[in-house]
Amino acid sequence: MLDVIGHGLIGPELIGQGVPQLLAASTERSVAVVLLAVVVVGWAMYVFVNIRQAKAEAGSEIELAPNRGRMPDDDELEGPRLEKVQAFGVLMLLVMALVLPVYWMLEGGRRSGAETAFSEDAANRGESLAAEQECTNCHGADLGGARFAPVVLDIGHQFVDTGSFIINTTWEGPSLDDVFTRFDTDAETLDETSEVRQILVYGRGVMPAWGLDGGGPLNDQQIDDLVAWLWREQISDEEAMERAATRKAAEQAANPDKSEGRVLFELNCARCHTPRWPGRGPAQLPNNGGTVDVLPGPPGAGRYGPSLNSVSLGRLFPEIEDHVAFIAAGAADNVPFGEFARLGNYGMPGFGRVLTEDEIRAIAEYERSLDPESQTAIEFERLREAGDDS
Ligand code: HEC
Ligand code: HEC
C-alpha cells in the first residue's frame, strides 16, 4: 500500500512542496490522503494488537509452539485450504486489474496539478523580479497603467559626440493586467505566448530591454518568469471592458467637445501614434539649459507607430471595414496587412477583446479624418516656435 507514494498518486514532487500544496489539491489527491491515513491507522492497529497477543503468549511456549499443535492432513491441505489461497491470488489479480486503469485515469490530473504548481512557482519568482526591477513605477501599483510614468532618457548622442546626456521626463506607461488582450490574443495557455516575451526581451519604445539578447539584465528563465507573472495577474476580458468603458465615460464627461472616436483614440492609441503624448509639462532643454513646455504633437502624426491620416489610411485600407478588422486584430510578426502588404512587427496591438466594434469603427472614422497637411504644418510650426528637439 505504501506504493501509493512511490508510484505517484502523491508524487515525490508534491511531497517536496509541503503540506499546503498537498491540501490545496484535486479530489484525487484528497482520496490519496485519506488512503494514506487509513493505511497508517491500519498499521498502528495491527502493531498494537500484535503486541498484546505476544504478551498473552508469554510463558506457555511448550503448549503453544506451532510444531506441537495439530497439523492439517493432506485432504484438507490440497482441498479447501489450497482453494482459499488460490482464490486470494485471483482476488489480488483483480485488484491490480482495477487499480491500474484507475491510476491511469488519475495520472492526467496529477500532471496538470504539477504543471499548475510549476507555473505558480514561476509566477511567484516573476513577481519578485518585477519588484526588483520596479515595473510598477511605470505601469501603476495595480498594473492598471500610469499616464505620467517617470522615465529617464539618455539623449546624449543627439547633442554631444561622446558621453551621455540624461533627461528626466514622463511617458504613458500602459496597463499590464490586460496586456494579453492586446498581444498574444490567441494564446490559450502560457506556452502559446510569444509577443509579450519579445517585447520584454527587446524593450519597447522608451521602455528599456529586459532580456540579455536585447542588452538587458535578465536571462531567458527570468523573462519566462515575468511572463508567467503577467499571465497570472490578468483580469478577465469583462473587467477590462468595464474599465475601458469607465475611463471613456470619465474622459467624455471632462471633454464634451471631443468626438467619441477622438476620446477613444487618445485613451488607447495616442501613446504610440501621437508625438510626445500625453505631453510632459515643463522640461529641461539639454542644449541651452532653458525649459520648454512639452506638448503633444498633432494627433496621429506618428511616433512608435506610423503616422495615421486620411491619405495614408485611404490607400492602406480603401474599405473602412478592413481598417476596423485590422485595429481589432492588431499586427502579428511578419504577417502582411493592408493594400500594399505591409509587414507587422510585434508593434500594433489588437483591441477587439476590449473595445466594441462600434467603438473601433468610431476610432477608424476619426483616424480617417486626420489631415496630413495640417499634421505636418502644425508640427513644423510648433517645433519652430518651441525650439524643441525631442
Ligand atoms: C521606466 C519606466 C518603465 C519600467 C521600469 C518598465 N516599463 Fe514596461 N513600458 C514602459 C512604457 C513607457 C511602455 C510603452 C512603450 C512606449 O510607449 O514607448 C512600456 C511597455 C511595456 C509592455 C508592452 C505593453 C503595451 O501595451 O505596449 C510590457 C509587456 C511591459 N512594458 C512590461 C514591463 C515589465 C514586465 C517591466 C518590469 C520588468 C516593465 N515593463 C518596466 C515603461 C516602463
Ligand atoms: C504599442 C503601440 C501601439 C498602440 C497602443 C497602437 N498602435 Fe497602431 N501601430 C503600432 C505600430 C508599431 C504599427 C506598425 C505595424 C507594426 O509594426 O506592427 C501600427 C500600425 C497601425 C496602423 C496601420 C498604419 C500603417 O501605416 O501601417 C493603424 C491603422 C493603427 N496602427 C491604428 C491604431 C489604433 C486605432 C490604435 C488604438 C486603438 C493603435 N493603433 C494603437 C503601434 C501601436
Side-chain angles (χ1 to χ4, degrees):
M1 227 24 211
L2 284 174
D3 267 352
V4 167
I5 291 181
H7 284 106
L9 271 182
I10 310 175
E13 66 276 36
L14 290 176
I15 289 177
Q17 285 157 7
V19 174
Q21 284 286 359
L22 204 67
L23 294 185
S26 50
T27 20
E28 78 219 22
R29 224 170 290 162
S30 340
V31 168
V33 170
V34 171
L35 277 182
L36 187 70
V38 169
V39 169
V40 169
V41 171
W43 270 103
M45 277 166 61
Y46 172 75
V47 169
F48 179 73
V49 169
N50 216 358
I51 288 175
R52 281 192 65 117
Q53 283 180 351
K55 272 194 186 133
E57 279 171 15
S60 49
E61 198 184 336
I62 299 203
E63 293 95 73
L64 292 178
N67 60 345
R68 299 191 65 128
R70 194 193 69 87
M71 283 296 148
D73 55 23
D74 280 4
D75 274 354
E76 199 187 327
L77 266 182
E78 286 165 22
R81 228 186 136 90
L82 183 62
E83 274 160 26
K84 247 196 244 164
V85 173
Q86 282 170 335
F88 183 69
V90 171
L91 188 75
M92 284 293 115
L93 206 66
L94 265 178
V95 168
M96 278 168 77
L98 284 177
V99 163
L100 278 178
V102 169
Y103 171 67
W104 173 79
M105 271 177 3
L106 297 184
E107 176 67 3
R110 184 190 71 82
R111 278 204 233 150
S112 63
E115 246 166 56
T116 314
F118 188 72
S119 51
E120 188 58 32
D121 283 352
N124 289 338
R125 286 195 302 269
E127 187 171 6
S128 335
L129 277 170
E132 275 168 34
Q133 306 297 344
E134 302 180 333
C135 309
T136 51
N137 274 5
C138 296
H139 291 285
D142 59 355
L143 298 184
R147 204 155 223 204
F148 297 99
V151 299
V152 179
L153 296 181
D154 179 357
I155 52 167
H157 57 280
Q158 294 178 35
F159 302 102
V160 283
D161 294 339
T162 52
S164 37
F165 208 114
I166 307 293
I167 55 166
N168 293 308
T169 176
T170 62
W171 222 276
E172 182 168 349
S175 53
L176 293 185
D177 56 3
D178 58 355
V179 66
F180 289 105
T181 66
R182 298 190 296 273
F183 295 100
D184 290 315
T185 47
D186 293 337
E188 280 170 12
T189 67
L190 188 52
D191 291 340
E192 288 163 21
T193 60
S194 62
E195 295 183 344
V196 169
R197 179 167 294 132
Q198 175 86 4
I199 291 171
L200 293 183
V201 170
Y202 294 102
R204 152 70 29 109
V206 301
M207 182 177 76
W210 298 106
L212 287 175
D213 287 347
L218 307 179
N219 63 30
D220 284 357
Q221 170 77 61
Q222 289 170 314
I223 294 290
D224 283 351
D225 291 346
L226 278 177
V227 179
W229 165 67
L230 288 174
W231 185 261
R232 186 187 68 189
E233 299 301 318
Q234 293 308 289
I235 56 177
S236 68
D237 282 13
E238 291 72 37
E239 287 169 309
M241 290 182 97
E242 220 177 286
R243 184 172 67 191
T246 314
R247 286 183 180 171
K248 178 177 110 176
E251 205 63 19
Q252 278 179 317
N255 303 284
D257 52 318
K258 292 185 185 171
S259 70
E260 182 191 16
R262 178 167 179 193
V263 163
L264 286 168
F265 180 85
E266 290 177 356
L267 281 171
N268 298 288
C269 326
R271 70 180 168 96
C272 288
H273 286 286
T274 296
R276 295 176 302 279
W277 180 265
R280 294 160 228 170
Q284 199 78 27
L285 270 187
N287 46 357
N288 62 13
T291 58
V292 65
D293 254 350
V294 179
L295 301 174
R303 181 181 70 90
Y304 180 71
S307 163
L308 308 169
N309 54 60
S310 58
V311 171
S312 68
L313 291 171
R315 285 197 201 122
L316 189 60
F317 302 112
E319 302 292 328
I320 188 170
E321 287 317 312
D322 294 335
H323 185 176
V324 170
F326 174 75
I327 299 170
D333 187 34
N334 244 7
V335 176
F337 63 86
E339 270 308 283
F340 18 93
R342 206 163 260 180
L343 288 184
N345 183 24
Y346 292 108
M348 171 65 189
F351 292 88
R353 276 170 62 178
V354 173
L355 303 179
T356 66
E357 206 180 312
D358 286 346
E359 287 175 328
I360 293 180
R361 194 169 298 108
I363 304 178
E365 275 160 8
Y366 170 70
E367 285 179 342
R368 294 168 92 84
S369 75
L370 297 172
D371 177 359
E373 297 285 331
S374 63
Q375 270 186 349
T376 21
I378 299 171
E379 185 67 349
F380 180 76
E381 187 68 11
R382 208 197 64 77
L383 288 181
R384 200 174 52 83
E385 275 174 15
D388 174 17
D389 303 86
S390 64

